[in-house]
Amino acid sequence: MKKTFSVYQRRDGRFEARIPDGKKEDGKRKFRYVLARSREQVIEKMAEICSGYKIENCEKTVAEVYMEYHNSIQYRVKESTAANYMMKAKNHIIPVFGSKRIDSVTEEGVYRFIQEKQNARLSARYIADIVILMKTLFKYAVRIYHIFNPMDSITLPKKKSPEIQLLDEQEQQRLQQYIAENQNKSTLGVALSMSTGIRIGELCALQWKDVDLEKRILTVRKTLQRIQCQTEVARTKLIITEPKSESSKRSIPIPECMIEFLKKFKGNSDEYLLSGNKQPTEPRTMQYRFARILKNVNLPSVHFHALRHMFASRCVRLGFDIKALSELLGHSSVEITLNRYVHSSFEEKKNLMGRLNFSF
């Protein structure tokens, strides 16, 4: 089996290569580095240092190799995941690198690409997702074509946790009052998200067979989402698929406050909760309806996903066990629950600080 090593051009103009060289005491990988004025000199030096390492040329373009890579994985990943990868490749990677030979991409060129995306004000999280896709693509290219890997030393942009705008306690009370006075399928969806923390895609995929009013259990089995098509017949399509992860498949006890509301709109087992028929309501339609509800109540514009955050924060204030809350939300770990979904208000912090008593 051929071994490979990476050669890339540094900012100072010199070329550098590195190969794995065992592990440090803390378990992290060690690398051995070689510097030279040209790529050829680096390759010659590496050949002297260790036999068995070989780097080859590849005339295929990034676009061609990406399509090979995509075809190799599209049957191993969810349809929505494959569509997401293709969207990122078509919108970001291929316009910049697509026509270049796969073996001509440099570390410097990748960092320029990252800088351009930052200048375009893409979020650090989104840029990191694009770079991770590029890293995976080049791992494939190294394995198949034995090229040097310019992505080896690329560091990801530091991700910042997005600020989630929530409704405060009084605003939530006003929203609840509006729902109580205007019970319909749209407000049913909002109420269900407020009281169970269910994701919007999971909500839109709910059928009445997923709701057991006698046992008072709601079962999340699937999710609905709109994805980009890979054909020219249609740009996007709706798909119903398995939830985000295995932990997202879950049973949620229905709170008492929702029982009569659900009974009011109870339909046949194969009908969807939000539409009342056999055709589901798609997530963006539910988002539009939620925005209209907020406008009717004269409340700040917040994303539908904020309901899930508000549910989690309320559960914490009520003393829910974090492990139980994490399972209700369908998270794979309690760290996700604590780091992303638990929010405290300034008033709550003020009250907590008021409990401090020092004898100064």
Side-chain angles (χ1 to χ4, degrees):
M1 180 179 176
K2 293 180 181 179
K3 298 179 181 179
T4 64
F5 57 85
S6 300
V7 182
Y8 45 89
Q9 190 170 19
R10 293 159 48 106
R11 295 179 185 276
D12 62 8
R14 293 182 296 172
F15 288 83
E16 183 177 67
R18 73 172 189 174
I19 57 172
D21 189 28
K23 292 187 177 181
K24 302 177 184 177
E25 292 183 0
D26 59 5
K28 294 183 179 179
R29 288 193 301 171
K30 287 195 305 182
F31 293 93
R32 186 169 184 178
Y33 296 86
V34 170
L35 286 172
R37 294 187 179 278
S38 71
R39 181 179 280 109
E40 291 73 20
Q41 289 176 337
V42 168
I43 294 171
E44 288 175 7
K45 288 185 178 181
M46 292 299 289
E48 293 175 3
I49 292 172
C50 53
S51 61
Y53 283 82
K54 185 173 178 59
I55 188 167
E56 297 181 358
N57 297 323
C58 178
E59 295 183 359
K60 292 195 174 185
T61 66
V62 172
E64 289 171 333
V65 177
Y66 178 81
M67 290 310 302
E68 288 180 13
Y69 161 73
H70 186 83
N71 291 334
S72 74
I73 61 137
Q74 62 177 333
Y75 300 110
R76 293 188 283 109
V77 300
K78 290 172 64 175
E79 184 180 7
S80 57
T81 302
N84 181 272
Y85 289 171
M86 180 60 79
M87 179 269 293
K88 287 184 171 68
K90 283 187 173 180
N91 292 348
H92 302 284
I93 299 171
I94 292 176
V96 177
F97 298 104
S99 61
K100 296 178 181 295
R101 281 176 47 150
I102 190 81
D103 62 2
S104 70
V105 177
T106 64
E107 177 186 5
E108 186 178 10
V110 175
Y111 275 122
R112 273 200 309 269
F113 170 75
I114 292 173
Q115 185 63 59
E116 288 169 2
K117 295 304 171 184
Q118 291 173 328
N119 293 342
R121 297 191 178 280
L122 270 64
S123 71
R125 182 178 296 275
Y126 192 76
I127 296 172
D129 288 344
I130 297 170
V131 175
I132 289 170
L133 177 57
M134 289 185 67
K135 281 178 174 283
T136 308
L137 168 63
F138 274 87
K139 281 183 180 179
Y140 169 85
V142 167
R143 180 165 54 85
I144 301 299
Y145 296 110
H146 310 293
I147 64 168
F148 74 93
N149 190 348
M151 301 299 299
D152 257 356
S153 300
I154 299 295
T155 55
L156 300 178
K158 189 173 182 181
K159 297 180 182 180
K160 297 180 181 178
S161 299
E163 289 291 329
I164 304 296
Q165 184 179 355
L166 306 178
L167 301 178
D168 63 27
E169 288 291 329
Q170 289 185 341
E171 290 167 340
Q172 290 183 48
Q173 289 292 334
R174 285 163 55 193
L175 178 58
Q176 291 176 53
Q177 183 63 34
Y178 178 86
I179 292 173
E181 295 173 356
N182 299 271
Q183 293 196 354
N184 53 53
K185 291 186 180 68
S186 295
T187 54
L188 173 64
V190 175
L192 203 54
S193 292
M194 288 184 73
S195 59
T196 65
I198 193 171
R199 299 179 179 96
I200 190 169
E202 298 167 344
L203 172 68
C204 292
L206 277 180
Q207 293 173 285
W208 283 107
K209 63 184 176 185
D210 301 318
V211 180
D212 189 331
L213 290 176
E214 288 188 10
K215 294 182 180 179
R216 302 189 176 191
I217 295 174
L218 182 155
T219 303
V220 177
R221 297 186 176 94
K222 51 195 177 297
T223 187
L224 177 74
Q225 61 187 128
R226 181 171 286 279
I227 66 170
Q228 288 194 337
C229 294
Q230 296 181 35
T231 65
E232 296 181 0
V233 178
R235 293 183 61 187
T236 63
K237 67 177 180 178
L238 279 175
I239 63 168
I240 294 179
T241 183
E242 292 189 346
K244 191 174 181 180
S245 62
E246 279 301 312
S247 56
S248 293
K249 298 175 184 177
R250 61 200 188 278
S251 295
I252 304 173
I254 302 172
E256 180 66 31
C257 60
M258 285 301 303
I259 299 299
E260 291 304 317
F261 200 164
L262 287 165
K263 284 181 177 179
K264 187 174 180 179
F265 295 96
K266 182 75 169 70
N268 296 327
S269 63
D270 57 351
E271 292 178 344
Y272 290 89
L273 266 72
L274 297 187
S275 66
N277 55 51
K278 296 181 181 181
Q279 293 297 319
T281 300
E282 70 169 289
R284 65 181 178 186
T285 300
M286 190 61 219
Q287 290 171 349
Y288 294 151
R289 292 175 181 175
F290 180 52
R292 189 161 58 245
I293 290 170
L294 293 174
K295 188 174 181 180
N296 290 341
V297 194
N298 196 27
L299 290 173
S301 176
V302 297
H303 197 275
F304 193 93
H305 198 69
L307 297 173
R308 182 168 161 86
H309 286 259
M310 290 187 289
F311 166 78
S313 295
R314 175 173 290 189
C315 289
V316 171
R317 289 197 296 273
L318 291 174
F320 276 46
D321 174 74
I322 294 297
K323 176 62 175 173
L325 174 58
S326 182
E327 291 174 358
L328 287 171
L329 290 169
H331 289 157
S332 57
S333 69
V334 294
E335 286 78 13
I336 295 174
T337 308
L338 288 169
N339 293 338
R340 298 186 190 174
Y341 286 86
V342 177
H343 308 269
S344 57
S345 67
F346 184 77
E347 284 302 314
E348 186 175 358
K349 294 171 184 173
K350 190 175 178 180
N351 291 334
L352 289 171
M353 292 298 286
R355 297 180 188 178
L356 296 174
N357 185 17
F358 295 101
S359 300
F360 294 144

